[in-house]
Amino acid sequence: MQAPAHTSYDVVIVGGAMYGASVAWWLTRNPDFDGRILVLERDPTYEFASTTHTNSCIRQQFTAEINVKISQFGVEFIRNFQDFIGDAEAPEIPLHSYGYMYFAAIPEDAAAMKAAQQVQAANGAGTRHLTRDQIAAEYPFYNLEDITAANHNPLNEGYFDGATIFDWWKRKARAQGAEIIHNEAVSMTLNAAGCRVESVTLATGETIACGQVVNASGPRARLTCAMAGIDIPVEPRKRYTFIFDAENPLGQDLPLTIDPNGVHMRSDGRYYLAGCPPDIDPPVDYTDFTEDHSLWQEKAWPAIAYRVPQFEAIRLINSWVGHYAYNTLDHNAIVGPHSRISNFLFVNGFSGHGLQQSPAIGRGLSEWIAYGEYRSIDLSEFGYGRIERNEPFIEKAVI
Ligand SMILES: Cc1cc2nc3c(=O)[nH]c(=O)nc-3n(C[C@H](O)[C@H](O)[C@H](O)COP(=O)(O)OP(=O)(O)OC[C@H]3O[C@@H](n4cnc5c(N)ncnc54)[C@H](O)[C@@H]3O)c2cc1C
């Protein structure tokens, strides 16, 4: 582990994966902010981070308007990465737009999709509501016998190279003055009134005075909250990813297909990727990444072969388990200050859509830190107040 260079920082960020890097980078590129930033990362190999287990996709198809806007900025950021990073050496970030295909099996689901399509279209997304015949005409490989309709958006939806964004954010944040070190936050002290975090203590023993603390600890967010005596409804949940090869490839892109049977799948270069939760989906230990091999055999493969009969002959070539930082209240992000401990800032609970939200939400939180307000997209709807009031801010389009 590394010792910090100073004993006092304006901003201490606990967690140095996608969100720690995003907030740090946005702060260091803001000419109005000249504070000292420390990013703590307990595991620089990122063995257990959500960021390194992600499927790295972006979509416009959300039911909450703000999530549509956030993804639209995500696309703008991806498409103009070089300009945002401000470095001619920065690469272009691929965005492979095959679209998400949300299937509806029953008329009630089809009606809900129509309503979602209207919200998305009103916000500039290219979502189309398709009948079964329309789906069959464009994608003849699906078995649609139990499907009534679908929503599909071929514009700016699909895979993007999030790992390269992460890498550049870290490198640039460091080059622009942020200190990113291998160390772990283990405790915090509050002031006498209990309304500010005064210091963060590290695994190596140093006690660091702090202006603001950002909880960017992913599935471990609750542990970091506990250091300040607070709680959030975020827990680690296992999510499985499978990469398979098909004996008879489709000859066209497989959209990211969200099947009513609980399995999703998409093209992944010359292979295909599928994913699903376990049938029983409890919170798990922070270090439990054991695989249940029956899930592929008994759930994923039968579901895949049912939906795409051509996938009767497929071969599993890779698989992994990652943890969602699962927000049990409403699946939505928790962003901004705690109500009482005003310098404790959340950027947590992203469930399965945090990677795509990291450009907009990292920018938003950096604005809050620099100005005490959101200046681009107003992120107040994600505030901690709803958690205290137990008032879910529901996002229905969850994977
Ligand atoms: C299987 C899977 C598929 C996904 N697919 C998508 C997708 O297609 N699209 C999408 O948008 N999102 C997706 N996500 C979600 C997305 O990957 C996450 O929301 C995002 O990566 C979260 O980043 P993070 O920085 O908040 O958390 P993490 O990546 O988990 O990082 C948290 C970091 O904090 C560190 N840390 C924790 N506690 C401490 C401490 N006390 N001191 C120091 N460091 C600490 C950890 O070591 C870790 O590196 C997926 C996630 C999974 C698991």
Side-chain angles (χ1 to χ4, degrees):
M1 289 207 182
Q2 296 159 277
H6 305 279
T7 54
S8 163
Y9 291 83
D10 296 287
V11 182
V12 174
I13 302 178
V14 183
M18 203 67 182
Y19 276 88
S22 175
V23 173
W25 175 75
W26 280 106
L27 278 173
T28 60
R29 87 188 273 276
N30 182 347
D32 294 337
F33 180 84
D34 61 1
R36 198 186 275 162
I37 302 165
L38 176 67
V39 182
L40 302 169
E41 175 48 57
R42 66 191 292 279
D43 174 19
T45 71
Y46 300 101
E47 183 183 2
F48 296 123
S50 302
T51 299
T52 49
H53 294 75
T54 190
N55 293 175
S56 210
C57 284
I58 184 164
R59 60 187 158 112
Q60 317 286 314
Q61 294 191 65
F62 287 94
T63 57
E65 201 172 340
I66 188 159
N67 282 331
V68 183
K69 290 188 177 138
I70 283 171
S71 274
Q72 288 189 332
F73 177 69
V75 169
E76 185 187 331
F77 186 83
I78 291 165
R79 297 267 189 226
N80 300 285
F81 184 66
Q82 262 190 0
D83 291 345
F84 276 105
I85 285 287
D87 188 329
E89 299 286 307
E92 286 189 7
I93 301 294
L95 172 55
H96 193 166
S97 286
Y98 35 65
Y100 283 49
M101 177 80 77
Y102 282 84
F103 279 143
I106 53 173
E108 287 79 2
D109 287 348
M113 276 185 192
K114 243 185 186 157
Q117 186 268 341
Q118 280 163 11
V119 171
Q120 292 151 14
N123 284 282
T127 314
R128 314 171 295 162
H129 188 71
L130 302 176
T131 62
R132 181 160 52 184
D133 288 347
Q134 288 170 318
I135 307 166
E138 285 188 45
Y139 299 98
F141 50 76
Y142 287 127
N143 165 18
L144 298 171
E145 64 187 1
D146 57 336
I147 298 299
T148 55
N151 277 5
H152 182 240
N153 171 21
L155 298 175
N156 294 325
E157 266 197 11
Y159 167 83
F160 70 104
D161 179 5
T164 297
I165 296 177
F166 173 41
D167 184 46
W168 275 83
W169 275 344
K170 257 190 318 184
R171 274 201 267 161
K172 281 288 176 181
R174 210 173 240 143
Q176 290 162 187
E179 202 179 314
I180 304 178
I181 62 169
H182 175 198
N183 213 318
E184 179 173 5
V186 292
S187 65
M188 295 179 192
T189 51
L190 303 188
N191 66 357
C195 61
R196 285 189 66 76
V197 178
E198 280 192 331
S199 65
V200 178
T201 300
L202 310 189
T204 44
E206 297 88 349
T207 292
I208 304 299
C210 56
Q212 317 249 15
V213 178
V214 176
N215 180 353
S217 311
R220 288 178 175 257
R222 199 170 207 162
L223 299 179
T224 300
C225 283
M227 294 177 203
I230 56 187
D231 194 24
I232 45 170
V234 172
E235 56 191 35
R237 296 271 186 106
K238 281 185 182 179
R239 289 295 176 271
Y240 287 76
T241 302
F242 307 103
I243 307 293
F244 62 93
D245 197 4
E247 204 173 294
N248 304 305
L250 300 176
Q252 69 186 100
D253 276 337
L254 174 64
L256 202 163
T257 308
I258 318 295
D259 206 293
N261 62 29
V263 174
H264 60 268
M265 56 182 163
R266 65 164 167 89
S267 288
D268 192 49
R270 61 159 287 223
Y271 298 115
Y272 300 93
L273 176 151
C276 64
D279 286 332
I280 302 166
D281 187 22
V284 295
D285 188 83
Y286 295 103
T287 54
D288 177 6
F289 287 80
T290 49
E291 287 195 55
D292 170 2
H293 295 288
S294 69
L295 206 65
W296 168 253
Q297 207 63 31
E298 289 164 25
K299 177 174 178 174
W301 187 6
I304 291 166
Y306 173 78
R307 186 60 63 210
V308 179
Q310 220 169 309
F311 285 160
E312 190 57 50
I314 55 179
R315 189 170 55 94
L316 184 64
I317 58 170
N318 193 8
S319 64
W320 64 87
V321 169
H323 286 177
Y324 275 8
Y326 191 88
N327 173 349
T328 58
L329 180 70
D330 57 18
H331 310 290
N332 251 325
I334 304 167
V335 185
H338 184 260
S339 48
R340 178 174 45 87
I341 307 175
S342 56
N343 69 338
F344 187 102
L345 307 177
F346 302 96
V347 62
N348 301 116
F350 291 95
S351 305
H353 49 266
L355 211 77
Q356 63 198 279
Q357 298 199 321
S358 58
I361 291 192
R363 179 182 64 173
L365 198 71
S366 77
E367 291 166 353
W368 183 273
I369 292 168
Y371 307 113
E373 64 181 12
Y374 299 119
R375 294 217 165 158
S376 44
I377 302 176
D378 181 0
L379 301 177
S380 319
E381 281 177 291
F382 296 118
Y384 185 74
R386 80 183 197 279
I387 308 291
E388 288 182 307
R389 296 189 301 274
N390 199 29
E391 280 171 11
F393 170 39
I394 297 284
E395 172 53 61
K396 291 188 201 141
V398 178
I399 301 169

